[in-house]
């Protein structure tokens, strides 16, 4: 079984709709991240959470919100989807307790198309 | 600020070598390298922490020049499986455990 899972894997929605992307992990990591990937722009950080009660904005948080429901779950919401939010979205996790330098482990991604 | 990767793309024949560079305008604490196959998640390759540190993973190695604020990834005797997009992620002391990724370098290894 995959350590980091994302649902759905693919989603088509219309402009103005609210949608939620979910991420779950079984790695026991305390830190979780949401990134979006656009061609040629690499991975850009949307939000991150260092523990259940901690939520932080990344470089491109406008139009998004998150919820850390439990240590293992981190959801990303698009309050009112717009076409330029069409992208590939990745969730990632890391463990702050084992090393001062953390490796991030990525989920399989959610491909979102906003019409 | 996003680190700058060069080249943006490279085409190799099997067995050839290539170098991918990652430069930052900020002092770096660590550099992380990932490879992503088309449509898949990025996979961790290695972390470089100390200035001048070099690490290797099979025939893929990397160096970190803290003074120059840059890292280089070396693909030696490339194999078909090396094809993919390589990303560097940089961590600065100010940013604290957050990675900023470069735009990626697309590598295609042909038979």
């Amino acid at each position: 079984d995959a350590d980091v899972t994302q649902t759905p894997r693919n989603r088509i929605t219309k402009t103005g709709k609210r949608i939620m992307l979910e991420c779950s992990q079984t790695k026991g990591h305390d830190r979780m991240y949401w990134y979006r990937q656009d061609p040629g722009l690499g991975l850009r950080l949307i939000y991150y959470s260092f523990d259940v009660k901690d939520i932080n904005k990344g470089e491109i948080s406008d139009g998004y919100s998150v919820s850390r429901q439990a240590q293992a779950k981190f959801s990303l919401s698009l309050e009112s989807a717009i076409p330029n939010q069409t992208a590939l979205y990745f969730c990632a996790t890391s463990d702050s307790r084992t090393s001062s330098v953390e490796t991030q482990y990525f989920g399989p991604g959610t491909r979102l198309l906003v019409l | 600020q996003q680190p700058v990767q060069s080249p943006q793309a490279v085409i190799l024949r099997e067995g050839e070598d290539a170098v991918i560079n990652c430069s930052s305008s900020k002092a770096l604490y660590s550099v992380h390298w990932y490879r992503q196959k088309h449509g898949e998640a990025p996979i961790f390759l290695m972390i470089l922490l100390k200035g001048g540190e070099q690490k290797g993973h099979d025939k893929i190695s990397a160096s970190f020049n803290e003074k120059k604020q840059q890292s280089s990834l070396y693909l030696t005797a490339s194999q078909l499986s090396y094809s993919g997009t390589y990303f560097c992620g940089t961590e600065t002391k100010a940013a604290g455990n957050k990675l900023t990724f470069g735009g990626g370098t697309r590598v295609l290894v042909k038979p």
Side-chain angles (χ1 to χ4, degrees), chain A residues 37-107:
Chain A
Q37 185 175 35
D38 300 277
L41 293 179
L43 294 151
R44 292 184 292 166
L45 185 62
I46 306 172
Y47 270 96
Y48 61 102
S49 169
F50 282 176
D51 66 40
V52 176
K53 296 179 182 178
D54 177 73
I55 299 290
N56 303 283
K57 292 182 178 181
E59 57 184 302
I60 55 164
S61 59
D62 287 348
Y64 302 94
S65 62
V66 291
S67 172
R68 184 85 183 263
Q69 301 96 319
Q71 187 182 45
K73 295 184 182 296
F74 193 35
S75 300
L76 175 72
S77 293
L78 284 67
E79 300 302 326
S80 179
I82 56 177
N84 76 0
Q85 290 178 312
T86 293
L88 185 55
Y89 290 84
F90 285 104
C91 173
T93 72
S94 68
D95 187 356
S96 70
R97 296 158 298 185
T98 55
S99 173
S100 61
V101 181
E102 302 159 30
T103 299
Q104 291 191 17
Y105 296 89
F106 287 82

Side-chain angles (χ1 to χ4, degrees), chain B residues 26-90:
Chain B
K26 298 184 178 181
L28 298 176
Y29 178 69
S30 69
V31 179
H32 303 224
W33 284 97
Y34 287 81
R35 178 172 64 208
Q36 183 181 30
K37 301 281 188 178
H38 184 67
E40 298 180 6
I43 301 297
F44 169 76
L45 293 175
M46 63 191 80
I47 291 176
L48 297 104
L49 182 56
K50 299 176 185 175
E53 184 176 27
Q54 297 192 12
K55 282 204 169 178
H57 177 77
D58 195 11
K59 289 187 176 178
I60 299 175
S61 60
S63 62
F64 178 21
N65 188 321
E66 207 173 331
K67 254 187 174 180
K68 292 185 178 179
Q69 296 172 183
Q70 71 179 34
S71 176
S72 296
L73 188 73
Y74 306 93
L75 307 181
T76 305
S78 57
Q79 304 168 17
L80 297 177
S81 62
Y82 288 2
S83 292
T85 301
Y86 290 78
F87 292 99
C88 66
T90 57

Side-chain angles (χ1 to χ4, degrees), chain B residues 89-107:
Chain B
T90 57
E91 182 183 7
T92 63
K93 292 181 181 178
N97 299 125
K98 294 196 324 299
L99 294 180
T100 303
F101 286 90
T105 296
R106 297 181 70 174
V107 173

